[in-house]
Amino acid sequence: MAAHRDYYEILEVTRDSDAEEIKKAYRKLAIQFHPDRNPNNEEAEEKFKELSEAYSILSDQDKRRLYDQYGHAGVSGNGGFPGGFDFSGSFSDIFSDIFQDFFGQGRSGRRQRGIRGDDLRYRMHITFEEAVFGAEKEIVYSRLRECEKCLGDGVEPGHTPVNCTVCDGKGEVLYQQAFFTMSRTCPNCGGRGRVVEHPCTQCKGEGRKSSQRTLTVRIPPGGDDGNRLRVRGEGDGGLSGGGFGDLFVQIEVQEHLFFRRENDDIICEVPIRMELAAAGGTVEVPTLEGPTELKLPGGTQPGQVFNLRGKGVPRLHGSGRGDQYIRINVEVPSKITRKQKQLLEEFTNESKPSAYKVVSRFSKEFSKYREDG
Ligand SMILES: [Zn+2]
Ligand SMILES: [Zn+2]
C-alpha cells in the first residue's frame, strides 16, 4: 500500500473540526466514492477504503487523540499502541468484549466503537503449474459492506434515532444482586443506546448488505496445497467505521497427470519397454518446461531413479528450485507373437548368467537352501 496520507486531508476537514463536521464530510465523500455506485472502478475503491480508514480513526475519540499525538504510528497497530485497527478479528473482538464485561457500556462507551467486519475464507482451485510458477487469478465473491444509503447507520436518511427509554441511552441497565449493583446490556436497544424508528429501506436497518466483489489475487511461485494467503481488508465490511475483516484464500491444487510433489521436488513415474531398459537409449519425459530427452544406460532397472537437477519447484522461502526425479517402470509385454517367442529363445541362448545378477544370486541361494533342507 502506498504511503499514508493525512487522515484530515483525506476527509477534507481541518484538525479542529468537531465530530459532527467529520461525520458530515465522511458521509459526503463516502457516498460519492461508494463502490456500489462506482462498479469496476479501482480508483474509487481505493479512495473509499482510504476514507473508511480515516473515518475509523477520526471518529473515535481515543484513536483520534493518538493520531494527533503520534501520527500514523500511533494508530497503525504495528507501533504497539492499543487501539490500532490492525488487530486480527478474533483478538480485537475478545479485547472489546473484555472491556464491555468489565467496565460496562455506559462508562467506557466502547459500544459506540466500530465493529470490525468478519474474516472470510475462499477456496481457490489452481492447477499444478499455477502452484509451481505462481499465478494471478481473478476471484468473485460476496461480502457484506456498508450500505450506500445510510452508510452503516441503519437509519433512513433524514431521520435520527431516538434515545432508548429503557436505559436512557446508556446501553446498559443496572440491577441488584445480593449487595452488588450489576449492569447488563440493555435488552431493549441491544446496548446501542438508541432505538431506530425509521430503519434504512435499502438495508432494512442492518447497516450492511451483501455486495459482489471482484478481486485479483496473486499466488506466489512455489505455493502448495493447503497454503493460506491473507488478503488484508478484503473481508466483510464493519459497522460504524470498524474497518474490514481480512480474506483468507485457501489454495487447493489439482492433481497432475504425471507429476507428484514432494516439497520442492517433483516425482514423475515413466514406464518404458523392457527392450529399451535392456539395450539403453533415450526416452522422452515430461518436465514443467515441456518434454525433454532422458538418456538411459543399457541395463536400466525397474525402480531406478534419475535426477533432473533444478527442474523442480521454485522455493517459496529461499532461492533456486528443487529437482525432478524420474522413476523408471519397466513393462514386460503382456502378449507376444510366435516369432517374438522364437527371438526370445535365441536371446536367452545368447545370454550369459552373469548378465542377470539378481536372478543368478537368487538361484544360487535357493539351491543351497534346498540342499540344506
Ligand atoms: Zn442502509
Ligand atoms: Zn436501551
Side-chain angles (χ1 to χ4, degrees):
M1 202 177 254
H4 272 82
R5 275 175 65 207
D6 179 61
Y7 289 145
Y8 291 100
E9 203 182 300
I10 290 167
L11 292 177
E12 297 172 9
V13 292
T14 57
R15 292 189 95 79
D16 50 17
S17 300
D18 64 24
E20 202 49 47
E21 285 168 330
I22 288 173
K23 189 173 182 179
K24 251 170 94 178
Y26 169 65
R27 267 180 172 284
K28 197 189 97 204
L29 291 166
I31 286 173
Q32 188 185 339
F33 291 103
H34 198 286
D36 287 355
R37 293 200 177 187
N38 301 274
N40 302 321
N41 182 342
E42 282 290 320
E43 215 172 298
E45 177 76 37
E46 274 311 307
K47 182 92 183 156
F48 186 77
K49 246 194 238 173
E50 210 180 39
L51 287 167
S52 309
E53 188 184 316
Y55 184 64
S56 75
I57 301 301
L58 297 188
S59 63
D60 184 300
Q61 269 189 10
D62 295 341
K63 290 181 190 171
R64 186 177 174 185
R65 196 171 40 74
L66 284 168
Y67 178 70
D68 287 345
Q69 219 167 340
Y70 303 105
H72 288 288
V75 289
S76 71
N78 302 323
F81 290 95
F85 55 81
D86 211 10
F87 287 128
S88 78
S90 49
F91 181 67
S92 68
D93 288 349
I94 291 165
F95 195 65
S96 59
D97 281 351
I98 290 170
F99 265 96
Q100 284 163 13
D101 288 350
F102 275 80
F103 302 113
Q105 273 327 293
R107 249 165 74 191
S108 71
R110 288 277 159 181
R111 189 79 69 169
Q112 300 302 316
R113 243 175 59 159
I115 299 164
R116 187 180 179 275
D118 282 337
D119 292 334
L120 297 176
R121 194 166 63 149
Y122 185 94
R123 277 169 200 259
M124 185 192 276
H125 295 271
I126 58 173
T127 65
F128 191 89
E129 285 88 350
E130 285 171 333
V132 169
F133 293 119
E136 282 196 351
K137 300 281 276 186
E138 196 172 77
I139 63 173
V140 181
Y141 63 102
S142 0
R143 61 173 180 170
L144 293 173
R145 71 175 316 157
E146 223 163 57
C147 167
E148 58 169 331
K149 194 173 185 190
C150 64
L151 292 173
D153 268 357
V155 184
E156 183 73 5
H159 295 274
T160 36
V162 293
N163 254 16
C164 173
T165 50
V166 174
C167 62
D168 197 23
K170 290 190 183 74
E172 60 173 8
V173 285
L174 303 175
Y175 65 103
Q176 203 77 25
Q177 189 167 19
F179 303 107
F180 301 103
T181 302
M182 311 285 278
S183 74
R184 63 187 165 99
T185 303
C186 171
N188 188 44
C189 61
R192 286 174 160 262
R194 36 167 235 179
V195 178
V196 176
E197 284 175 332
H198 299 272
C200 167
T201 50
Q202 184 97 329
C203 62
K204 298 183 178 65
E206 297 290 325
R208 291 183 298 184
K209 58 187 188 115
S210 183
S211 150
Q212 206 176 65
R213 173 84 172 129
T214 305
L215 191 70
T216 303
V217 178
R218 202 183 69 81
I219 298 147
D224 204 352
D225 198 57
N227 282 167
R228 233 166 52 140
L229 293 170
R230 178 188 198 146
V231 191
R232 275 189 191 280
E234 296 295 350
D236 277 342
L239 281 171
S240 321
F244 284 83
D246 296 330
L247 175 72
F248 289 93
V249 178
Q250 176 113 19
I251 291 178
E252 285 175 22
V253 183
Q254 287 157 22
E255 264 182 42
H256 196 278
L257 189 57
F258 300 125
F259 303 137
R260 195 160 49 77
R261 200 150 145 196
E262 240 164 58
N263 300 316
D264 296 330
D265 296 328
I266 290 175
I267 318 289
C268 174
E269 311 254 346
V270 174
I272 60 169
R273 289 174 174 214
M274 117 191 146
E275 307 94 278
L276 180 63
T282 55
V283 62
E284 231 188 355
V285 298
T287 73
L288 287 165
E289 278 88 7
T292 189
E293 287 198 338
L294 177 68
K295 264 209 177 68
L296 298 174
T300 291
Q301 302 297 319
Q304 199 166 336
V305 175
F306 296 87
N307 185 1
L308 301 177
R309 246 174 222 297
K311 294 276 186 206
V313 180
R315 296 195 170 89
L316 187 58
H317 308 289
S319 60
R321 286 172 63 172
D323 298 336
Q324 180 176 341
Y325 293 97
I326 307 279
R327 182 175 294 133
I328 298 294
N329 285 336
V330 176
E331 187 172 16
V332 175
S334 55
K335 231 195 271 175
I336 51 172
T337 62
R338 195 175 297 211
K339 175 88 190 284
Q340 280 178 311
K341 200 169 177 178
Q342 265 173 23
L343 289 169
L344 281 174
E345 271 158 20
E346 263 178 63
F347 181 89
T348 303
N349 294 336
E350 197 65 28
S351 295
K352 297 190 177 80
S354 63
Y356 291 94
K357 290 197 182 90
V358 181
V359 174
S360 310
R361 197 188 321 133
F362 176 81
S363 46
K364 214 183 272 173
E365 276 165 3
F366 191 53
S367 54
K368 220 170 103 191
Y369 169 83
R370 236 187 341 217
E371 278 166 28
D372 290 353

